[in-house]
Amino acid sequence: MRPLFIFGIACRILTADVSYRIDTVAGSDYIGDNGPAAAAILFQADGIAADGSGNLYVSDAANHRIRKIARAGAITTFAGTGTAGFWGDGGPAAVAQLNSPYGLSFDGLGNLYVADLGNSRVRRISADGTMTTVAGGGSLPAGGPNDGTAATLVALSAPRNLAWDGRGSVYISDFTGHRVYRLSPDGSLVTAAGTGIAGFSGDGAAAIRAQLSYPAGIAVDVHGDLYIGDSQNHLIRKVTSGTISSIARAATPTGMTVDAFGTLYVADPSAGQLLTVPIHGAATAFPIPAFDLCFAPDGYVYTTDGKLVHRISFTGLSTLIAGGGNLAYGDHGNAVLARLNHPSGVAADQHGNIFIADRDNHRIRLVAPDGTITTVAGTGEAGNGADGLLATLTALNAPSSVASDSNGNLYIADTGNQRVRVLTPDGTLRSVPAAGIGSPVYVLPDASGNVYIADSAAGAILEVMTDGRTVTIATGLKSPRGLALDSTGNLYVTEMDGRHVKRFGTSGDVTLLGEGIWSVPCSVAVDADGNVFVADSGLHQILRVDSSGVVSPIAGTGSAGFSGDTDTALAAEVSAPWDVAMGPNGTLYIADLDNNRIRQLTPGLPATLSPTAIITAVNAASLQPGPIAPGMLLDLLGTGITSTNSAQVLFNSLTVPLVAADSTRALVRVPPEIAGATSTRILVLDHGNLIGEISAAVTDAAPALFANATGQLIAANEDGTVNSADNPASRGSIVVLYGTGEGVTGSPVSVTIGGYTAEMLYAGPVAGYPGLLQINARIPAGYVPPGNLSVVLTVGQALSQAGVTIAVN
C-alpha cells in the first residue's frame, strides 16, 4: 500500500462557466401500451379489478400507473404518468400522478377506487375518467373520537386494499395504521376493525376494539360480512354484525375476493398458494402464487403475481393475460426507443460506440454511432457463465460498470458473480485473475493494461498488474465505487457512504475534493484539462470540480424526475445518476439509473444546434393547422425523415412513437400527458440530430372528421359499405364516422347532420388504433332532406372543420 498524505481543497459552489445541452441517447419509457397485453411490461402488478364489461384494471405499483386490459387483449395506461407524485385531482386520470397504487375496487356505478398508498390517500376515478381524492390527505388522526369525520380531512397511514360492499360503502385496509375503515356514501370515515395498535386480540368481541397487525387483503360478501387478511398475525379474520373472529390461517393474505356462493378466495404469496375458504368446511390450498385476485363477469378468477396477470384454472394450466414483456426491448433498433433496466454504468470508446451496463437486465449493451442498440454480453437471465464462450451466450449477474481500452477490450464489473470480466474483440469472455473479490462494482483499465477495481464490500481499491499480481491501493473506504484516471496517473475514487471524492496522487498523497458537498457520490470522470465530474445520486445532479476547487452543478435541478431533453442540462431533471463517463469533444454520458436512460451532455448552448427542416403540424383528419389536443392524431409535414428507425419525435421531453412516416410526413399521437398545458414544443430528431422544431398551442379538444379531398365524409353505411354519392345512407339508418381530437377531459360529444342533432350510439376509441375516434350515429329522419348534408362534430364547445358532408337519400 502506498503511504498516504491527506490534503483538502477548499471548495465553493458556483454557477458553471459552460452550459451543457442534455439529450437521451438510449432508453425510453416503453411498457407495451396500445399493444397486446401479453407482451406488455408490468413492474409490480399488484391490485386487480374488473369492470362490468369484462375489462381488467391492474395497479402497477412500481411504475405508478393503473393499466387497463381490454377484453380484446390490448393494454393501455388508464391512470398515472409513470412518475411518482400527487397531482391531477379534478382532471383526467390519464395525466394524474399516483404514488405506488395498490388495491383497486369498482362500485356499482362504474367508479374505480384506488388505494394510492404512497400518497396516503384513496382516490376515485369516475366513469368519465376524472380523478378525485375521497379519503386521506387531511391532518386529523383517523379512528377514535374522529370517527364520522369527512374522509378527506383524515390522515391515513398506508391505504393498502379496498373492497366495495354492494351497499354504497368502500372498505379500506390501512396497512401501517392497523385498522380497517368504512368510507360511507356520505363521504365520512368510520372504523370497522382495529384499534390502531399492532397486535392480536379481540376474537369474539367488538371488531373496533380488536387488534390487527398490518391488515392487507379485504373482501365483503353478499351478506355484508367483512373479511380481513391480518397479514402479520397470519390469519384471516371475519367481522359479522360488528363482532370479529378468526376463521383460517394464511402466511401472508394480501388479496381477497368472494364468489356468489360465499366462498372466500385468498392470495397468499409468501406461501406460493391461493386458498379457497368455503362458508362451511376446511380451506383448500392450490399451488398458485398471487398478490391479488378478482372475479370478472366471465366467471373466471384473475390474479396478479407481481409481473404477470393470469386467468386461473383450478384444474389445468392457467392462461397468461398480461405481462411478460421484454425489459430489454429494442435490440437492433433505435436506442432511444429501447428499454433499459436500471443502467448503472456507461463508457464510450474512440470509435463513437457507447457501452451500457444494463444492470437489472443482466446485459452489456452497445449503442453504435448510427444509434442502433444491441446486446454484446449476457443472456438476460442472471447467472454465472463460464469463461471462453461467446459473450452473448454467457450469463452475467447484475453487471455494474463497463470500461473500454485502446485495444478494443471491454472490462465488466460482473458484480453479482464477484468477478471482473473482459469481453475481447473476438466476442468471448474471460476473467481478470483477481482472487477474493467481494463485490466488484467498478472496473477501470489504464493505458498499460493494469486494471483497477473498486470492491465495495471490502472497502478497498485493488490494482491487478499486467504480470498477474494484485496490489491493494487503499482500504478502509466506505462503499467505494467510481474510478477515474487523469493524464498524469492520479487516481480518483468516490466513496458513496463516506460522502467523499478522493484523488490518490502518484506520490502517495490523498486529496479530498469538494469535501462537505456530496450526498451519494457514485461516479467520477476527468477531462483532458483536469476538470473532475461527479455523478451524485443523492443530489440528483452532475457536478464539476475545477482545478481551483470550485464546484459547479452542470446538470440536474436537484429534484428527482425526468425532464429537459434537448434543452439546457441545468434545467433538466435526472433521477439517481449512477455513472458519468467522458466522450469525444468534451461530451459526457450519464447513466440516469431511475429514469432507465443514458443521457448525453454536450458543451455549448442548445441554440447552437439549429433545425434544418420547416415543419408544419396539422390535424391528421382535417389536415388543417391549429391548436392540438392531448391524445389526438397529428401529422407533421415536411420532416424529411430518412428512416423511421432513426427518427424520434418529442413533445417537450416526452418521446412518442411514430404511427407512420415517410420522407414528407410523420404521423404521431399527441401524448395525453400534455393535458393542462397551454403550449408545447414539438421536436423532430434524425440519428439524434435536431432537424425540426415548432411550437403549438394546446387546447382541451380539437375535433376533426376524416374526409376525402372533396369533403365527402369517410363513413360506413349501416350495411358496412362505404358512403358516397352513388351509395347514400338512408334517413334513420346508422352510420359509422371517424375522427380525432376529442381530448382526454371526457367532454360531451355530439354530431349534427344537415343541421339536426343525430342520435349518438357510440363515441369512443377504436381498439388497436390509439388516437382514432369512432362515432356510431343515427341519421335524423323526418324533416332531414336527401342530398349531401353537412356533418359537424362537437366536443365540449369545439367544432370540427367546415365543408364535410355525407350522402343521404
Side-chain angles (χ1 to χ4, degrees), residues 439-758:
S439 180
V441 292
Y442 212 91
V443 59
L444 178 69
D446 68 14
S448 301
N450 305 303
V451 180
Y452 294 88
I453 302 168
D455 188 339
S456 178
I461 307 297
L462 309 176
E463 182 181 5
V464 180
M465 314 296 285
T466 54
D467 60 8
R469 292 180 299 119
T470 300
V471 177
T472 300
I473 301 297
T475 59
L477 304 178
K478 297 179 179 179
S479 298
R481 187 182 186 276
L483 300 173
L485 288 164
D486 65 18
S487 58
T488 60
N490 297 310
L491 178 67
Y492 296 77
V493 178
T494 64
E495 288 183 75
M496 293 174 63
D497 291 348
R499 300 185 178 184
H500 300 304
V501 177
K502 295 180 176 179
R503 181 176 64 215
F504 290 79
T506 55
S507 61
D509 57 298
V510 178
T511 304
L512 301 175
L513 305 179
E515 191 67 5
I517 288 175
W518 314 114
S519 174
V520 186
C522 287
S523 183
V524 61
V526 185
D527 68 12
D529 297 323
N531 296 301
V532 178
F533 300 87
V534 179
D536 193 310
S537 70
L539 297 176
H540 305 291
Q541 288 183 311
I542 309 298
L543 300 102
R544 186 188 69 175
V545 186
D546 69 15
S547 57
S548 65
V550 173
V551 180
S552 307
I554 62 167
T557 63
S559 297
F562 176 72
S563 68
D565 266 4
T566 74
D567 212 328
T568 304
L570 267 176
E573 289 178 316
V574 297
S575 187
W578 215 253
D579 199 8
V580 58
M582 294 302 307
N585 303 316
T587 60
L588 293 163
Y589 294 101
I590 307 167
D592 196 353
L593 186 89
D594 284 350
N595 282 324
N596 297 305
R597 287 170 168 83
I598 302 298
R599 301 174 83 178
Q600 176 180 292
L601 302 181
T602 306
L605 293 173
T608 60
L609 295 179
S610 301
T612 58
I614 300 175
I615 293 175
T616 303
V618 297
N619 186 299
S622 68
L623 299 182
Q624 295 176 4
I628 65 175
M632 71 179 276
L633 291 171
L634 188 72
D635 252 328
L636 301 175
L637 307 180
T639 60
I641 291 172
T642 58
S643 168
T644 56
N645 290 329
S646 63
Q648 182 185 11
V649 175
L650 299 94
F651 286 73
N652 295 329
S653 60
L654 295 170
T655 300
V656 298
L658 297 179
V659 178
D662 58 29
S663 60
T664 62
R665 60 185 283 271
L667 178 64
V668 297
R669 184 188 183 219
V670 177
E673 289 85 350
I674 71 168
T678 57
S679 64
T680 184
R681 289 196 313 153
I682 306 171
L683 304 102
V684 181
L685 292 83
D686 198 7
H687 289 98
N689 297 314
L690 181 66
I691 62 172
E693 176 180 352
I694 57 173
S695 294
V698 178
T699 187
D700 287 342
L705 292 165
F706 284 94
N708 64 23
T710 67
Q712 166 67 47
L713 192 67
I714 297 173
N717 293 336
E718 190 165 340
D719 61 2
T721 59
V722 176
N723 181 270
S724 68
D726 297 327
N727 187 34
S730 300
R731 284 171 287 181
S733 67
I734 297 171
V735 290
V736 179
L737 325 175
Y738 295 96
T740 193
E742 72 274 25
V744 295
T745 61
S747 297
V749 177
S750 62
V751 169
T752 61
I753 298 177
Y756 293 89
T757 300

Side-chain angles (χ1 to χ4, degrees), residues 345-349 353-357 364-367 376 402 404 410:
V346 62
D349 68 12
N353 298 302
I354 302 169
F355 299 95
I356 305 167
I364 303 299
R365 301 175 82 178
L366 161 69
V367 180
V376 294
V402 288
S404 63
L410 188 68

Side-chain angles (χ1 to χ4, degrees), residues 58 245 280 319 337 368 384 514 567 574 625 657 669 673 683 705 741 759:
V58 177
S245 61
H280 304 291
T319 303
L337 302 179
N384 193 357
D567 212 328
V574 297
R669 184 188 183 219
E673 289 85 350
L683 304 102
L705 292 165
E759 177 188 357

Side-chain angles (χ1 to χ4, degrees), residues 252-307:
T252 314
T254 58
M256 293 181 174
T257 191
V258 185
D259 68 15
F261 303 101
T263 299
L264 179 69
Y265 296 74
V266 181
D268 192 3
S270 62
Q273 63 185 10
L274 190 157
L275 299 174
T276 60
V277 185
I279 295 177
H280 304 291
T284 302
F286 295 87
I288 300 172
F291 286 179
D292 198 11
L293 68 172
C294 74
F295 275 99
D298 60 8
Y300 283 98
V301 173
Y302 291 82
T303 65
T304 60
D305 66 6
K307 301 294 184 185

Side-chain angles (χ1 to χ4, degrees), residues 133-221:
T133 293
V134 294
S139 58
L140 295 176
N146 295 301
D147 267 4
T149 299
T152 52
L153 300 179
V154 170
L156 296 176
S157 178
R160 172 70 180 261
N161 287 72
L162 305 170
W164 183 59
D165 70 354
R167 297 166 174 80
S169 294
V170 175
Y171 286 82
I172 305 164
S173 64
D174 196 355
F175 190 66
T176 55
H178 312 294
R179 282 190 173 101
V180 174
Y181 299 101
R182 180 171 62 87
L183 175 62
S184 300
D186 65 2
S188 63
L189 199 69
V190 296
T191 300
T195 64
I197 300 173
F200 173 74
S201 68
D203 272 2
I208 60 173
R209 299 189 185 92
Q211 285 181 295
L212 306 173
S213 186
Y214 299 95
I218 53 176
V220 182
D221 67 18

Side-chain angles (χ1 to χ4, degrees), residues 45-106:
D46 201 284
I48 186 168
D51 66 17
S53 300
N55 303 302
L56 295 174
Y57 298 78
V58 177
S59 61
D60 194 351
N63 202 24
H64 315 292
R65 300 174 189 253
I66 307 298
R67 311 287 292 279
K68 178 182 178 180
I69 305 165
R71 290 185 62 186
I75 192 168
T76 54
T77 293
F78 182 71
T81 64
T83 300
F86 176 72
W87 184 84
D89 271 3
V95 295
Q97 285 183 304
L98 301 167
N99 190 351
S100 300
Y102 272 72
L104 303 174
S105 184
F106 274 98

